[in-house]
Protein backbone atom coordinates (compact mmCIF):
# COMPACT_ATOMS: atom_id res chain seq x y z
CA UNK A 1 0.00 0.00 0.00
CA UNK A 2 1.26 3.45 -0.84
CA UNK A 3 1.57 6.08 1.84
CA UNK A 4 3.88 7.59 4.35
CA UNK A 5 4.24 6.22 7.82
CA UNK A 6 5.45 8.58 10.50
CA UNK A 7 7.12 5.76 12.40
CA UNK A 8 9.39 4.98 9.49
CA UNK A 9 12.26 7.05 8.16
CA UNK A 10 11.25 9.23 5.21
CA UNK A 11 14.29 9.61 3.01
CA UNK A 12 14.18 12.92 1.12
CA UNK A 13 17.59 14.01 -0.15
CA UNK A 14 19.81 13.74 -3.17
CA UNK A 15 19.79 15.05 -6.74
CA UNK A 16 16.98 17.21 -8.09
CA UNK A 17 14.89 15.54 -10.78
CA UNK A 18 14.28 18.02 -13.60
CA UNK A 19 11.58 17.31 -16.19
CA UNK A 20 11.95 19.42 -19.32
CA UNK A 21 8.55 20.34 -20.84
CA UNK A 22 6.65 17.32 -19.51
CA UNK A 23 3.28 16.84 -21.19
CA UNK A 24 1.04 14.66 -19.03
CA UNK A 25 0.17 15.32 -15.39
CA UNK A 26 -0.11 11.56 -14.86
CA UNK A 27 3.51 11.14 -15.85
CA UNK A 28 4.62 13.90 -13.48
CA UNK A 29 2.70 12.16 -10.68
CA UNK A 30 4.25 8.79 -11.47
CA UNK A 31 7.66 10.47 -11.46
CA UNK A 32 6.93 11.88 -7.98
CA UNK A 33 5.92 8.43 -6.74
CA UNK A 34 9.04 6.82 -8.19
CA UNK A 35 11.21 9.49 -6.55
CA UNK A 36 9.52 8.95 -3.17
CA UNK A 37 9.96 5.18 -3.48
CA UNK A 38 13.72 5.61 -3.55
CA UNK A 39 14.20 8.58 -1.27
CA UNK A 40 14.39 11.54 -3.65
CA UNK A 41 12.21 14.59 -3.02
CA UNK A 42 13.22 17.58 -5.13
CA UNK A 43 11.20 17.82 -8.36
CA UNK A 44 11.61 20.69 -10.84
CA UNK A 45 9.48 21.23 -13.93
CA UNK A 46 10.49 23.33 -16.91
CA UNK A 47 7.46 24.75 -18.70
CA UNK A 48 4.97 21.87 -18.13
CA UNK A 49 2.51 21.76 -21.03
CA UNK A 50 -0.68 21.49 -18.96
CA UNK A 51 0.36 23.88 -16.20
CA UNK A 52 0.97 23.45 -12.50
CA UNK A 53 -0.42 22.50 -9.99
CA UNK A 54 -2.05 19.45 -11.54
CA UNK A 55 -4.77 17.28 -9.98
CA UNK A 56 -3.82 14.45 -12.31
CA UNK A 57 -0.25 14.62 -11.08
CA UNK A 58 -1.28 14.56 -7.42
CA UNK A 59 -3.58 11.61 -8.01
CA UNK A 60 -0.93 9.61 -9.90
CA UNK A 61 1.63 10.38 -7.20
CA UNK A 62 -0.18 7.93 -4.87
CA UNK A 63 0.36 10.06 -1.75
CA UNK A 64 3.88 11.25 -2.55
CA UNK A 65 2.50 14.61 -1.43
CA UNK A 66 5.80 15.83 -0.03
CA UNK A 67 7.25 15.66 -3.55
CA UNK A 68 4.23 17.24 -5.25
CA UNK A 69 4.00 20.04 -2.67
CA UNK A 70 7.67 20.88 -3.04
CA UNK A 71 7.70 20.93 -6.85
CA UNK A 72 9.03 24.15 -8.39
CA UNK A 73 8.23 25.34 -11.92
CA UNK A 74 10.68 27.22 -14.15
CA UNK A 75 10.23 28.98 -17.48
CA UNK A 76 13.57 27.88 -18.81
CA UNK A 77 16.03 25.08 -18.17
CA UNK A 78 18.76 27.65 -17.47
CA UNK A 79 16.82 28.73 -14.37
CA UNK A 80 16.12 25.18 -13.26
CA UNK A 81 19.81 24.27 -13.14
CA UNK A 82 21.19 27.65 -11.99
CA UNK A 83 21.94 26.64 -8.38
CA UNK A 84 23.31 23.20 -9.21
CA UNK A 85 26.97 22.25 -9.43
CA UNK A 86 26.76 19.09 -11.50
CA UNK A 87 24.06 17.87 -13.88
CA UNK A 88 23.39 14.65 -15.80
CA UNK A 89 21.31 14.52 -18.99
CA UNK A 90 19.45 11.25 -19.67
CA UNK A 91 19.30 10.21 -23.30
CA UNK A 92 18.63 7.04 -25.25
CA UNK A 93 20.70 7.97 -28.27
CA UNK A 94 24.22 9.00 -29.04
CA UNK A 95 24.93 12.72 -29.44
CA UNK A 96 27.66 14.45 -31.32
CA UNK A 97 29.74 16.20 -28.77
CA UNK A 98 32.31 15.87 -26.09
CA UNK A 99 30.30 14.86 -23.03
CA UNK A 100 31.21 11.61 -21.28
CA UNK A 101 28.49 8.93 -21.43
CA UNK A 102 27.88 6.96 -18.22
CA UNK A 103 25.83 3.95 -17.12
CA UNK A 104 23.19 4.45 -14.39
CA UNK A 105 25.49 2.70 -11.90
CA UNK A 106 28.40 5.02 -12.64
CA UNK A 107 26.15 8.09 -12.68
CA UNK A 108 24.61 7.20 -9.31
CA UNK A 109 28.04 6.65 -7.78
CA UNK A 110 29.18 10.03 -9.12
CA UNK A 111 26.05 11.77 -7.80
CA UNK A 112 26.46 10.11 -4.40
CA UNK A 113 30.09 11.21 -4.17
CA UNK A 114 29.24 14.80 -5.08
CA UNK A 115 26.30 14.78 -2.65
CA UNK A 116 28.61 13.65 0.15
CA UNK A 117 31.04 16.44 -0.64
CA UNK A 118 28.27 19.03 -0.44
CA UNK A 119 27.58 19.72 -4.11
CA UNK A 120 24.07 20.24 -5.45
CA UNK A 121 23.26 17.94 -8.35
CA UNK A 122 20.44 17.24 -10.79
CA UNK A 123 19.29 14.84 -13.49
CA UNK A 124 17.51 16.05 -16.65
CA UNK A 125 14.72 14.05 -18.28
CA UNK A 126 13.27 15.03 -21.65
CA UNK A 127 9.86 15.39 -23.23
CA UNK A 128 7.68 12.28 -23.55
CA UNK A 129 7.74 12.44 -27.36
CA UNK A 130 11.15 13.76 -28.21
CA UNK A 131 13.44 13.59 -25.19
CA UNK A 132 16.02 16.27 -24.51
CA UNK A 133 17.14 18.65 -27.26
CA UNK A 134 20.82 19.13 -27.93
CA UNK A 135 20.49 22.59 -26.38
CA UNK A 136 19.20 20.96 -23.18
CA UNK A 137 22.03 18.42 -23.17
CA UNK A 138 24.55 21.22 -23.62
CA UNK A 139 23.67 22.47 -20.12
CA UNK A 140 24.60 19.14 -18.53
CA UNK A 141 28.06 17.95 -17.50
CA UNK A 142 27.70 14.32 -18.48
CA UNK A 143 25.23 11.99 -20.19
CA UNK A 144 23.62 8.91 -18.63
CA UNK A 145 22.01 6.19 -20.73
CA UNK A 146 20.24 2.95 -19.84
CA UNK A 147 21.27 -0.59 -20.85
CA UNK A 148 18.10 -1.39 -22.80
CA UNK A 149 16.96 -3.97 -25.35
CA UNK A 150 18.43 -2.60 -28.61
CA UNK A 151 15.20 -3.17 -30.56
CA UNK A 152 12.91 -1.80 -27.83
CA UNK A 153 14.79 1.05 -26.25
CA UNK A 154 12.17 3.65 -25.37
CA UNK A 155 11.60 4.06 -21.63
CA UNK A 156 8.55 5.81 -20.23
CA UNK A 157 9.67 8.99 -18.40
CA UNK A 158 8.50 7.71 -14.99
CA UNK A 159 10.36 4.46 -15.56
CA UNK A 160 13.54 6.33 -16.48
CA UNK A 161 13.21 8.37 -13.29
CA UNK A 162 12.53 5.17 -11.34
CA UNK A 163 15.74 3.53 -12.54
CA UNK A 164 17.90 6.54 -11.68
CA UNK A 165 16.19 6.88 -8.28
CA UNK A 166 16.72 3.17 -7.64
CA UNK A 167 20.40 3.38 -8.53
CA UNK A 168 20.69 6.48 -6.34
CA UNK A 169 19.27 4.48 -3.40
CA UNK A 170 21.63 1.59 -4.13
CA UNK A 171 24.63 3.93 -4.32
CA UNK A 172 24.04 4.75 -0.65
CA UNK A 173 24.08 1.11 0.40
CA UNK A 174 27.29 -0.60 1.37
CA UNK A 175 26.17 -3.97 0.03
CA UNK A 176 23.95 -4.43 -3.03
CA UNK A 177 23.15 -7.90 -1.81
CA UNK A 178 21.69 -6.64 1.49
CA UNK A 179 17.94 -6.69 2.09
CA UNK A 180 15.71 -4.63 4.38
CA UNK A 181 14.32 -7.63 6.19
CA UNK A 182 15.37 -11.21 6.46
CA UNK A 183 13.57 -14.47 7.00
CA UNK A 184 13.52 -15.50 10.69
CA UNK A 185 16.25 -17.83 11.90
CA UNK A 186 18.08 -18.53 8.67
CA UNK A 187 21.12 -20.03 10.43
CA UNK A 188 21.85 -23.62 9.62
CA UNK A 189 20.88 -26.11 12.34
CA UNK A 190 23.60 -27.58 14.56
CA UNK A 191 24.92 -31.05 13.78
CA UNK A 192 23.36 -32.29 17.02
CA UNK A 193 19.93 -31.31 15.66
CA UNK A 194 20.66 -32.91 12.29
CA UNK A 195 21.82 -36.14 13.94
CA UNK A 196 18.70 -36.09 16.12
CA UNK A 197 16.66 -35.97 12.93
CA UNK A 198 18.64 -38.88 11.41
CA UNK A 199 18.04 -41.04 14.46
CA UNK A 200 14.38 -40.12 14.68
CA UNK A 201 13.72 -40.96 11.03
CA UNK A 202 15.86 -44.10 11.07
CA UNK A 203 14.17 -45.46 14.19
CA UNK A 204 10.69 -44.87 12.75
CA UNK A 205 11.67 -46.49 9.46
CA UNK A 206 13.55 -49.37 11.08
CA UNK A 207 10.50 -50.73 12.93
CA UNK A 208 8.70 -50.81 9.55
CA UNK A 209 11.45 -52.84 7.86
CA UNK A 210 12.50 -49.96 5.57
CA UNK A 211 16.13 -51.12 5.93
CA UNK A 212 15.68 -54.48 4.25
CA UNK A 213 17.55 -56.63 3.40
CA UNK A 214 20.02 -56.03 6.27
CA UNK A 215 23.14 -56.00 4.10
CA UNK A 216 21.76 -52.96 2.24
CA UNK A 217 21.10 -50.99 5.39
CA UNK A 218 24.41 -49.08 5.38
CA UNK A 219 23.82 -47.85 1.84
CA UNK A 220 20.17 -46.97 2.53
CA UNK A 221 21.20 -44.96 5.61
CA UNK A 222 23.86 -43.20 3.56
CA UNK A 223 21.34 -42.17 0.92
CA UNK A 224 18.80 -41.07 3.50
CA UNK A 225 21.34 -38.91 5.33
CA UNK A 226 22.51 -37.41 2.03
CA UNK A 227 18.93 -36.35 1.24
CA UNK A 228 18.44 -34.96 4.73
CA UNK A 229 21.65 -32.90 4.71
CA UNK A 230 21.54 -31.61 1.15
CA UNK A 231 19.16 -28.76 1.99
CA UNK A 232 21.11 -27.37 5.01
CA UNK A 233 18.03 -27.21 7.22
CA UNK A 234 17.58 -24.53 9.84
CA UNK A 235 16.56 -25.33 13.43
CA UNK A 236 12.87 -24.49 12.84
CA UNK A 237 12.86 -26.66 9.73
CA UNK A 238 14.30 -29.61 11.66
CA UNK A 239 11.55 -28.97 14.22
CA UNK A 240 8.88 -29.18 11.51
CA UNK A 241 10.40 -32.31 9.96
CA UNK A 242 10.53 -34.09 13.31
CA UNK A 243 6.91 -33.11 13.87
CA UNK A 244 6.02 -34.73 10.55
CA UNK A 245 7.84 -37.95 11.47
CA UNK A 246 6.20 -37.99 14.89
CA UNK A 247 2.79 -37.48 13.35
CA UNK A 248 3.26 -40.21 10.71
CA UNK A 249 4.60 -42.49 13.39
CA UNK A 250 1.57 -42.02 15.63
CA UNK A 251 -1.22 -44.62 15.78
CA UNK A 252 0.84 -47.10 13.81
CA UNK A 253 3.39 -48.25 16.39
CA UNK A 254 1.60 -50.04 19.24
CA UNK A 255 2.79 -48.79 22.59
CA UNK A 256 4.11 -45.50 21.16
CA UNK A 257 0.80 -43.71 20.81
CA UNK A 258 0.63 -42.35 24.33
CA UNK A 259 4.22 -41.18 24.29
CA UNK A 260 3.86 -39.26 21.02
CA UNK A 261 0.65 -37.49 21.83
CA UNK A 262 1.92 -36.40 25.22
CA UNK A 263 5.31 -35.16 24.08
CA UNK A 264 4.10 -31.59 23.75
CA UNK A 265 6.84 -30.96 21.24
CA UNK A 266 5.63 -32.66 18.12
CA UNK A 267 6.63 -29.78 15.88
CA UNK A 268 3.11 -29.15 14.65
CA UNK A 269 3.29 -25.52 15.68
CA UNK A 270 6.50 -25.08 13.76
CA UNK A 271 4.81 -25.05 10.37
CA UNK A 272 4.40 -21.30 10.20
CA UNK A 273 5.52 -20.95 6.59
CA UNK A 274 2.49 -19.80 4.67
CA UNK A 275 0.59 -18.37 7.64
CA UNK B 1 10.22 6.42 -29.51
CA UNK B 2 8.79 3.02 -28.74
CA UNK B 3 8.79 0.27 -31.31
CA UNK B 4 10.73 -2.62 -32.62
CA UNK B 5 13.34 -2.22 -35.27
CA UNK B 6 14.18 -5.22 -37.38
CA UNK B 7 17.75 -4.05 -37.84
CA UNK B 8 18.42 -4.18 -34.12
CA UNK B 9 18.69 -7.25 -31.92
CA UNK B 10 15.40 -8.04 -30.16
CA UNK B 11 16.30 -9.69 -26.87
CA UNK B 12 13.54 -12.07 -25.76
CA UNK B 13 14.70 -14.65 -23.24
CA UNK B 14 14.99 -15.17 -19.52
CA UNK B 15 12.60 -15.69 -16.61
CA UNK B 16 8.83 -15.73 -17.08
CA UNK B 17 7.04 -12.81 -15.47
CA UNK B 18 3.94 -14.11 -13.67
CA UNK B 19 1.25 -11.65 -12.55
CA UNK B 20 -1.12 -13.11 -9.97
CA UNK B 21 -4.68 -11.79 -10.37
CA UNK B 22 -3.74 -8.46 -11.96
CA UNK B 23 -6.60 -5.98 -11.98
CA UNK B 24 -5.95 -3.27 -14.59
CA UNK B 25 -5.24 -3.90 -18.26
CA UNK B 26 -3.13 -0.72 -18.30
CA UNK B 27 -0.82 -2.22 -15.70
CA UNK B 28 -0.47 -5.44 -17.66
CA UNK B 29 0.45 -3.39 -20.73
CA UNK B 30 3.02 -1.35 -18.82
CA UNK B 31 4.48 -4.59 -17.48
CA UNK B 32 4.80 -5.87 -21.07
CA UNK B 33 6.57 -2.66 -22.10
CA UNK B 34 8.97 -2.83 -19.14
CA UNK B 35 9.77 -6.46 -19.98
CA UNK B 36 10.44 -5.60 -23.61
CA UNK B 37 12.67 -2.69 -22.59
CA UNK B 38 15.02 -5.08 -20.83
CA UNK B 39 14.80 -8.14 -23.03
CA UNK B 40 12.19 -10.32 -21.32
CA UNK B 41 9.30 -11.73 -23.34
CA UNK B 42 7.38 -14.45 -21.48
CA UNK B 43 4.34 -13.05 -19.63
CA UNK B 44 1.89 -15.27 -17.72
CA UNK B 45 -1.32 -14.07 -16.10
CA UNK B 46 -3.15 -15.90 -13.34
CA UNK B 47 -6.85 -15.14 -13.41
CA UNK B 48 -6.74 -11.49 -14.62
CA UNK B 49 -9.76 -9.64 -13.23
CA UNK B 50 -10.86 -7.97 -16.47
CA UNK B 51 -10.17 -10.94 -18.74
CA UNK B 52 -7.80 -11.46 -21.64
CA UNK B 53 -7.10 -10.29 -24.32
CA UNK B 54 -7.25 -6.65 -23.26
CA UNK B 55 -7.25 -3.62 -25.56
CA UNK B 56 -6.10 -1.45 -22.68
CA UNK B 57 -3.13 -3.74 -22.11
CA UNK B 58 -2.13 -3.69 -25.78
CA UNK B 59 -2.38 0.09 -25.88
CA UNK B 60 -0.31 0.58 -22.72
CA UNK B 61 2.31 -1.86 -23.99
CA UNK B 62 3.47 0.80 -26.48
CA UNK B 63 4.13 -1.72 -29.28
CA UNK B 64 5.55 -4.51 -27.13
CA UNK B 65 3.29 -6.70 -29.25
CA UNK B 66 5.57 -9.72 -29.12
CA UNK B 67 5.03 -9.84 -25.34
CA UNK B 68 1.26 -9.23 -25.49
CA UNK B 69 0.77 -11.80 -28.28
CA UNK B 70 2.68 -14.44 -26.36
CA UNK B 71 0.91 -13.92 -23.04
CA UNK B 72 -0.66 -17.07 -21.56
CA UNK B 73 -3.51 -17.06 -19.03
CA UNK B 74 -3.86 -19.62 -16.22
CA UNK B 75 -6.68 -20.33 -13.79
CA UNK B 76 -4.37 -21.04 -10.90
CA UNK B 77 -0.82 -20.17 -9.92
CA UNK B 78 -0.02 -23.89 -9.65
CA UNK B 79 -0.53 -24.17 -13.41
CA UNK B 80 1.47 -21.04 -14.18
CA UNK B 81 4.58 -22.34 -12.41
CA UNK B 82 4.22 -26.04 -13.27
CA UNK B 83 6.96 -26.18 -15.93
CA UNK B 84 9.42 -23.96 -14.04
CA UNK B 85 12.39 -25.14 -12.01
CA UNK B 86 13.01 -22.11 -9.83
CA UNK B 87 10.70 -19.27 -8.84
CA UNK B 88 11.09 -15.96 -6.98
CA UNK B 89 8.23 -14.24 -5.16
CA UNK B 90 8.41 -10.43 -4.94
CA UNK B 91 7.18 -8.94 -1.70
CA UNK B 92 7.55 -5.66 0.17
CA UNK B 93 7.05 -7.09 3.63
CA UNK B 94 8.56 -9.76 5.80
CA UNK B 95 6.83 -13.13 5.89
CA UNK B 96 6.89 -15.77 8.54
CA UNK B 97 8.58 -18.73 7.02
CA UNK B 98 11.78 -20.28 5.94
CA UNK B 99 12.40 -18.81 2.51
CA UNK B 100 15.63 -16.91 1.89
CA UNK B 101 15.15 -13.20 1.15
CA UNK B 102 17.29 -11.72 -1.64
CA UNK B 103 18.02 -8.29 -3.10
CA UNK B 104 17.17 -7.66 -6.78
CA UNK B 105 20.89 -7.85 -7.62
CA UNK B 106 21.30 -11.25 -5.96
CA UNK B 107 18.04 -12.54 -7.44
CA UNK B 108 19.03 -11.46 -10.96
CA UNK B 109 22.44 -13.12 -10.62
CA UNK B 110 20.75 -16.33 -9.42
CA UNK B 111 18.24 -16.25 -12.29
CA UNK B 112 21.03 -15.63 -14.82
CA UNK B 113 23.06 -18.55 -13.47
CA UNK B 114 20.09 -20.91 -13.62
CA UNK B 115 19.18 -19.65 -17.11
CA UNK B 116 22.70 -20.40 -18.30
CA UNK B 117 22.49 -23.93 -16.89
CA UNK B 118 19.24 -24.57 -18.76
CA UNK B 119 16.67 -24.21 -15.96
CA UNK B 120 13.31 -22.51 -16.52
CA UNK B 121 12.66 -19.74 -14.02
CA UNK B 122 9.95 -17.25 -13.13
CA UNK B 123 9.22 -14.24 -10.94
CA UNK B 124 5.84 -13.80 -9.20
CA UNK B 125 4.24 -10.36 -8.78
CA UNK B 126 1.12 -9.85 -6.66
CA UNK B 127 -2.19 -8.05 -6.95
CA UNK B 128 -2.15 -4.25 -7.20
CA UNK B 129 -3.98 -3.84 -3.86
CA UNK B 130 -2.70 -6.67 -1.73
CA UNK B 131 0.38 -8.23 -3.29
CA UNK B 132 1.03 -11.95 -3.09
CA UNK B 133 -0.77 -14.11 -0.52
CA UNK B 134 1.20 -16.42 1.70
CA UNK B 135 -0.21 -19.32 -0.32
CA UNK B 136 1.28 -17.75 -3.46
CA UNK B 137 4.65 -17.21 -1.77
CA UNK B 138 4.66 -20.84 -0.62
CA UNK B 139 4.99 -21.91 -4.28
CA UNK B 140 8.21 -19.92 -4.72
CA UNK B 141 11.74 -20.97 -3.84
CA UNK B 142 13.02 -17.65 -2.59
CA UNK B 143 11.79 -14.12 -1.91
CA UNK B 144 13.07 -10.94 -3.56
CA UNK B 145 12.46 -7.51 -2.06
CA UNK B 146 13.41 -3.99 -3.18
CA UNK B 147 15.59 -1.49 -1.30
CA UNK B 148 12.91 1.19 -0.95
CA UNK B 149 12.34 4.32 1.14
CA UNK B 150 11.08 2.86 4.44
CA UNK B 151 8.25 5.39 4.73
CA UNK B 152 7.19 5.12 1.08
CA UNK B 153 7.67 1.50 0.17
CA UNK B 154 4.85 0.68 -2.24
CA UNK B 155 5.95 0.09 -5.82
CA UNK B 156 3.54 0.08 -8.73
CA UNK B 157 3.44 -3.42 -10.26
CA UNK B 158 4.90 -2.24 -13.59
CA UNK B 159 7.72 -0.50 -11.74
CA UNK B 160 8.49 -3.63 -9.73
CA UNK B 161 8.62 -5.62 -12.99
CA UNK B 162 10.80 -2.89 -14.52
CA UNK B 163 13.37 -3.12 -11.74
CA UNK B 164 13.62 -6.90 -11.92
CA UNK B 165 13.82 -6.76 -15.74
CA UNK B 166 16.54 -4.09 -15.51
CA UNK B 167 18.57 -6.15 -13.03
CA UNK B 168 18.08 -9.18 -15.30
CA UNK B 169 19.57 -7.20 -18.19
CA UNK B 170 22.45 -6.01 -16.02
CA UNK B 171 23.16 -9.55 -14.80
CA UNK B 172 24.01 -10.47 -18.39
CA UNK B 173 26.53 -7.63 -18.75
CA UNK B 174 30.15 -8.11 -17.86
CA UNK B 175 30.58 -4.55 -16.67
CA UNK B 176 27.86 -2.48 -14.98
CA UNK B 177 29.78 0.64 -15.91
CA UNK B 178 29.61 -0.12 -19.64
CA UNK B 179 27.33 1.90 -21.90
CA UNK B 180 25.70 1.09 -25.24
CA UNK B 181 27.23 4.05 -27.02
CA UNK B 182 30.06 6.36 -26.21
CA UNK B 183 30.85 9.93 -27.03
CA UNK B 184 33.12 10.25 -30.09
CA UNK B 185 36.88 10.45 -29.49
CA UNK B 186 36.97 10.54 -25.71
CA UNK B 187 40.69 9.78 -25.51
CA UNK B 188 42.81 12.43 -23.91
CA UNK B 189 44.84 14.55 -26.33
CA UNK B 190 48.55 13.87 -26.77
CA UNK B 191 51.02 16.11 -24.95
CA UNK B 192 52.17 17.45 -28.30
CA UNK B 193 48.64 18.77 -28.90
CA UNK B 194 48.45 20.24 -25.41
CA UNK B 195 51.82 21.96 -25.81
CA UNK B 196 50.66 23.28 -29.19
CA UNK B 197 47.70 24.84 -27.41
CA UNK B 198 49.98 26.37 -24.74
CA UNK B 199 52.20 27.95 -27.37
CA UNK B 200 49.29 29.18 -29.44
CA UNK B 201 47.58 30.84 -26.46
CA UNK B 202 50.80 32.22 -25.01
CA UNK B 203 51.89 33.74 -28.30
CA UNK B 204 48.50 35.42 -28.82
CA UNK B 205 48.53 36.77 -25.28
CA UNK B 206 52.14 37.81 -25.36
CA UNK B 207 51.72 40.28 -28.21
CA UNK B 208 48.93 41.91 -26.13
CA UNK B 209 51.10 42.32 -23.07
CA UNK B 210 49.15 39.80 -21.02
CA UNK B 211 52.45 38.68 -19.42
CA UNK B 212 53.21 41.96 -17.70
CA UNK B 213 55.29 42.83 -15.76
CA UNK B 214 57.98 40.52 -17.19
CA UNK B 215 59.10 39.13 -13.82
CA UNK B 216 55.62 37.71 -13.29
CA UNK B 217 55.55 35.95 -16.62
CA UNK B 218 56.76 32.56 -15.30
CA UNK B 219 54.01 32.46 -12.68
CA UNK B 220 51.35 33.62 -15.13
CA UNK B 221 52.36 30.91 -17.61
CA UNK B 222 52.27 28.35 -14.81
CA UNK B 223 48.71 29.33 -13.87
CA UNK B 224 47.59 29.40 -17.47
CA UNK B 225 49.00 25.94 -18.16
CA UNK B 226 47.40 24.62 -14.96
CA UNK B 227 43.99 25.82 -16.12
CA UNK B 228 44.52 24.38 -19.61
CA UNK B 229 45.57 20.94 -18.36
CA UNK B 230 43.07 20.51 -15.53
CA UNK B 231 40.25 19.37 -17.80
CA UNK B 232 42.21 16.68 -19.70
CA UNK B 233 41.07 17.87 -23.11
CA UNK B 234 40.50 15.48 -26.00
CA UNK B 235 41.94 16.11 -29.46
CA UNK B 236 38.68 17.55 -30.85
CA UNK B 237 38.41 19.85 -27.86
CA UNK B 238 41.95 21.14 -28.41
CA UNK B 239 40.93 21.70 -32.03
CA UNK B 240 37.94 23.81 -30.94
CA UNK B 241 39.99 25.78 -28.42
CA UNK B 242 42.66 26.60 -30.98
CA UNK B 243 39.88 27.69 -33.32
CA UNK B 244 38.63 30.06 -30.64
CA UNK B 245 42.10 31.53 -30.10
CA UNK B 246 42.62 31.91 -33.84
CA UNK B 247 39.28 33.65 -34.19
CA UNK B 248 39.87 36.04 -31.28
CA UNK B 249 43.33 36.71 -32.63
CA UNK B 250 42.06 37.63 -36.08
CA UNK B 251 41.71 41.29 -37.12
CA UNK B 252 43.55 42.48 -34.09
CA UNK B 253 47.15 41.62 -34.90
CA UNK B 254 48.31 43.68 -37.85
CA UNK B 255 50.00 41.51 -40.45
CA UNK B 256 48.42 38.30 -39.15
CA UNK B 257 45.01 38.72 -40.70
CA UNK B 258 45.75 37.06 -43.99
CA UNK B 259 47.57 34.16 -42.44
CA UNK B 260 44.74 33.34 -40.06
CA UNK B 261 41.91 33.51 -42.53
CA UNK B 262 43.73 31.34 -45.03
CA UNK B 263 44.83 28.67 -42.62
CA UNK B 264 41.86 26.47 -43.45
CA UNK B 265 42.19 24.82 -40.07
CA UNK B 266 40.81 27.36 -37.69
CA UNK B 267 38.85 24.81 -35.68
CA UNK B 268 35.51 26.42 -36.43
CA UNK B 269 34.12 23.15 -37.75
CA UNK B 270 35.15 21.35 -34.61
CA UNK B 271 32.42 22.89 -32.51
CA UNK B 272 29.95 20.12 -33.07
CA UNK B 273 28.93 19.77 -29.43
CA UNK B 274 25.27 20.64 -29.30
CA UNK B 275 24.51 19.98 -32.97
Amino acid sequence: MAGTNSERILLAEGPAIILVEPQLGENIGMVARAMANFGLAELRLVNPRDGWPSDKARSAAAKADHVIDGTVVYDRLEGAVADLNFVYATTARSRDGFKPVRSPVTAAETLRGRFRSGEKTGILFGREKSGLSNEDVALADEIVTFPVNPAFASLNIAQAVLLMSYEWMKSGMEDHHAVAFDAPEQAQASKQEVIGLFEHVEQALSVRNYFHPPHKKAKLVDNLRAVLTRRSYTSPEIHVLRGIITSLDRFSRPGQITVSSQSGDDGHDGGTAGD
Side-chain angles (χ1 to χ4, degrees), chain A:
Chain A
M1 306 291 285
T4 56
N5 181 330
S6 58
E7 293 169 19
R8 293 174 179 162
I9 300 163
L10 179 67
L11 298 172
E13 60 181 20
I17 297 296
I18 302 161
L19 308 186
V20 179
E21 298 187 352
Q23 296 168 288
L24 300 173
E26 290 88 337
N27 282 340
I28 300 171
M30 287 168 64
V31 162
R33 178 180 182 177
M35 291 171 61
N37 279 144
F38 295 102
L40 296 180
E42 192 173 349
L43 178 59
R44 303 177 179 195
L45 307 178
V46 178
N47 200 17
R49 187 190 66 182
D50 296 341
W52 192 260
S54 160
D55 290 339
K56 286 181 179 173
R58 187 174 294 275
S59 170
K63 299 192 177 138
D65 291 330
H66 62 293
V67 178
I68 295 292
D69 291 339
T71 299
V72 180
V73 177
Y74 297 83
D75 286 341
R76 301 182 66 216
L77 180 55
E78 284 81 349
V81 298
D83 63 322
L84 304 180
N85 301 103
F86 189 89
V87 173
Y88 271 105
T90 54
T91 167
R93 60 197 164 84
S94 179
R95 311 273 180 156
D96 283 338
F98 308 130
K99 295 189 194 298
V101 181
R102 309 299 188 195
S103 75
V105 171
T106 309
E109 288 168 357
T110 300
L111 290 166
R112 179 67 64 175
R114 289 177 178 270
F115 172 76
R116 286 183 175 143
S117 67
E119 291 190 23
K120 291 200 70 172
T121 60
I123 314 173
L124 312 184
F125 295 85
R127 300 149 190 85
E128 284 95 329
K129 293 271 188 212
S130 57
L132 292 170
S133 70
N134 287 318
E135 290 67 29
D136 300 330
V137 174
L139 293 178
D141 295 276
E142 297 187 352
I143 285 172
V144 57
T145 193
F146 300 96
V148 288
N149 193 352
F152 202 87
S154 169
L155 285 174
N156 166 281
I157 185 173
Q159 296 188 320
V161 170
L162 181 83
L163 293 181
M164 282 309 301
S165 303
Y166 168 71
E167 289 291 3
W168 161 259
M169 173 72 101
K170 281 170 63 189
S171 72
M173 296 166 59
E174 286 186 13
D175 176 8
H176 291 178
H177 297 271
V179 289
F181 59 84
D182 207 342
E185 187 77 43
Q186 287 293 320
Q188 193 167 340
S190 71
K191 293 307 170 200
Q192 184 179 34
E193 292 173 292
V194 175
I195 292 164
L197 175 64
F198 289 165
E199 291 173 349
H200 192 164
V201 172
E202 288 159 19
Q203 190 195 14
L205 292 174
S206 192
V207 298
R208 289 175 178 77
N209 266 331
Y210 177 88
F211 300 111
H212 183 83
H215 73 270
K216 287 194 175 167
K217 179 171 179 178
K219 183 62 183 166
L220 289 167
V221 166
D222 261 9
N223 289 347
L224 189 65
R225 292 185 172 199
V227 170
L228 293 174
T229 48
R230 178 155 151 67
R231 171 63 182 77
S232 301
Y233 290 117
T234 63
S235 292
E237 287 172 318
I238 297 261
H239 189 67
V240 170
L241 288 170
R242 293 198 58 169
I244 292 169
I245 304 303
T246 298
S247 181
L248 291 174
D249 206 20
R250 196 182 287 166
F251 305 124
S252 58
R253 286 173 68 185
Q256 298 288 321
I257 297 169
T258 312
V259 174
S260 293
S261 61
Q262 286 183 348
S263 73
D265 183 31
D266 65 357
H268 189 267
D269 63 311
T272 51
D275 281 6

